[in-house]
C-alpha cells in the first residue's frame, strides 16, 4: 500500500492494483466527488506509515486522476539489481539530493519483495510491519550471502534471520556519500524520521501543482 519507490514497472503495477483493491470500500464511496483516487492513495500511505510507528506526515490534496500505462514507468523507478549510479540517475533529475535518496530507501524497513512481482523474495527486516530505522541498522550490522531467487534474480540473504538485501541496498554501503547518510540514520532515528518525511512528501508531490492542505 505504501508503494516503495523501487522496483520494475510490473512490480509497480501489481502494488498499485493491490492498493486500489484495499481502498475500494472507501474510494467507491468518496471518489471522485470528494477526493481523487490519487489523493486517497497518498493519504492511505501516510496513515499506514504512522500506524506502523513512523512519522506523522501531512498529506496535501488536489491531485487529479489520470490513466497511466505502467510500461511507461520503465526507467522512472529504481531497479533492485542496480548500483549507486542508477539510483542517482533515477532520483537526481527529480531534484533529490543524496541524503533524500538514502532516506527514501528507509521505507524498506517495512514490507517485502514479492517473487511474482519483482523477481526478488523476502523481507528486509525482521519486523516488516514496524516503521523505524531498523533497515539501516540491519544493512550495516548484518552479513549477507549472495543467492539467486527462483526467477534468477540475485539478492543477498542473512542466513540466521532470513532477511534479504538487494544489490541496490548494498549500493548504499559501497558509495561513500550514501554510506555516510546510512550510518547517520542507523544511529539517529529522529534524524531519519525528519529527513524521510521531507523526502517522502516531495516524492508524493512531484509533478503536482496547486496542492492544498485540506480536502
Amino acid at each position: 500500500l505504501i508503494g516503495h519507490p523501487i522496483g520494475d514497472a510490473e512490480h509497480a503495477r501489481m502494488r498499485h492494483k493491490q492498493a486500489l483493491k484495499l481502498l475500494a470500500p472507501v474510494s467507491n464511496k468518496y471518489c471522485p466527488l470528494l477526493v481523487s483516487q490519487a489523493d486517497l492513495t497518498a493519504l492511505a500511505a501516510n496513515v499506514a506509515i504512522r500506524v506502523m510507528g513512523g512519522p506523522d506526515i501531512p498529506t496535501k490534496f488536489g491531485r487529479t486522476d489520470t490513466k497511466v500505462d505502467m510500461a511507461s514507468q520503465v526507467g522512472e523507478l529504481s531497479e533492485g539489481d542496480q548500483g549507486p549510479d542508477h539510483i542517482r540517475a533515477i532520483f537526481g533529475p527529480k531534484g533529490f539530493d543524496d541524503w533524500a535518496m538514502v532516506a527514501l530507501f528507509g521505507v524498506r524497513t517495512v514490507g517485502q519483495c514479492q517473487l511474482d512481482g519483482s523477481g526478488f523474495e523476502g523481507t528486509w527486516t525482521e519486523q516488516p510491519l514496524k516503521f523505524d530505522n531498523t533497515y539501516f541498522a540491519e544493512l550495516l550490522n548484518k552479513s549477507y550471502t549472495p543467492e539467486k531467487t527462483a526467477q534468477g534474480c540475485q539478492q543477498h540473504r542473512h542466513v540466521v534471520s532470513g532477511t534479504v538485501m538487494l544489490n541496490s541496498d548494498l549500493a548504499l554501503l559501497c558509495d561513500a556519500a550514501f554510506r555516510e547518510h546510512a550510518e547517520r540514520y542507523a544511529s539517529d532515528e529522529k534524524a531519519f524520521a525528519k529527513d524521510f518525511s521531507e523526502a517522502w512528501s516531495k516524492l508524493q508531490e512531484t509533478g503536482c501543482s496547486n496542492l492544498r492542505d485540506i480536502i
Side-chain angles (χ1 to χ4, degrees), residues 8-29:
D8 58 24
E10 176 61 23
H11 197 200
R13 183 191 65 79
M14 183 184 69
R15 291 199 311 268
H16 185 63
K17 288 181 65 175
Q18 290 173 337
L20 293 180
K21 183 176 180 179
L22 289 170
L23 293 173
V26 179
S27 61
N28 290 341
K29 186 175 182 179

Side-chain angles (χ1 to χ4, degrees), residues 77-98:
L77 300 172
S78 176
E79 302 287 348
D81 60 352
Q82 299 294 320
D85 290 344
H86 175 76
I87 296 170
R88 289 193 175 95
I90 294 297
F91 291 105
K94 297 178 175 65
F96 290 91
D97 295 325
D98 282 356

Side-chain angles (χ1 to χ4, degrees), residues 1-186:
L1 179 59
I2 291 178
H4 290 188
I6 58 148
D8 58 24
E10 176 61 23
H11 197 200
R13 183 191 65 79
M14 183 184 69
R15 291 199 311 268
H16 185 63
K17 288 181 65 175
Q18 290 173 337
L20 293 180
K21 183 176 180 179
L22 289 170
L23 293 173
V26 179
S27 61
N28 290 341
K29 186 175 182 179
Y30 296 108
C31 299
L33 295 179
L34 181 61
V35 64
S36 68
Q37 184 72 65
D39 281 346
L40 179 62
T41 302
L43 174 62
N46 293 344
V47 170
I49 289 172
R50 186 69 186 98
V51 168
M52 289 186 288
D56 188 3
I57 304 174
T59 304
K60 291 189 176 182
F61 302 90
R63 300 168 184 81
T64 57
D65 292 329
T66 58
K67 291 185 177 181
V68 177
D69 180 3
M70 285 300 176
S72 68
Q73 298 302 298
V74 173
E76 293 295 322
L77 300 172
S78 176
E79 302 287 348
D81 60 352
Q82 299 294 320
D85 290 344
H86 175 76
I87 296 170
R88 289 193 175 95
I90 294 297
F91 291 105
K94 297 178 175 65
F96 290 91
D97 295 325
D98 282 356
W99 66 265
M101 299 179 202
V102 177
L104 285 175
F105 267 76
V107 78
R108 292 178 171 181
T109 198
V110 296
Q112 64 180 3
C113 303
Q114 297 179 329
L115 185 64
D116 59 348
S118 66
F120 303 106
E121 185 175 28
T123 64
W124 287 275
T125 66
E126 296 178 44
Q127 294 182 286
L129 295 179
K130 181 180 180 181
F131 196 103
D132 56 16
N133 63 338
T134 298
Y135 164 80
F136 296 106
E138 296 200 9
L139 176 64
L140 288 159
N141 297 323
K142 286 183 175 180
S143 296
Y144 296 88
T145 301
E147 65 175 21
K148 284 194 174 181
T149 68
Q151 292 196 15
C153 295
Q154 183 179 10
Q155 60 182 31
H156 308 266
R157 188 174 299 275
H158 184 249
V159 176
V160 176
S161 67
T163 58
V164 302
M165 292 289 168
L166 311 184
N167 288 348
S168 55
D169 298 303
L170 299 183
L172 302 185
L173 301 184
C174 67
D175 182 275
F178 281 165
R179 185 178 185 117
E180 178 182 351
H181 296 298
E183 291 176 345
R184 179 164 60 91
Y185 296 146

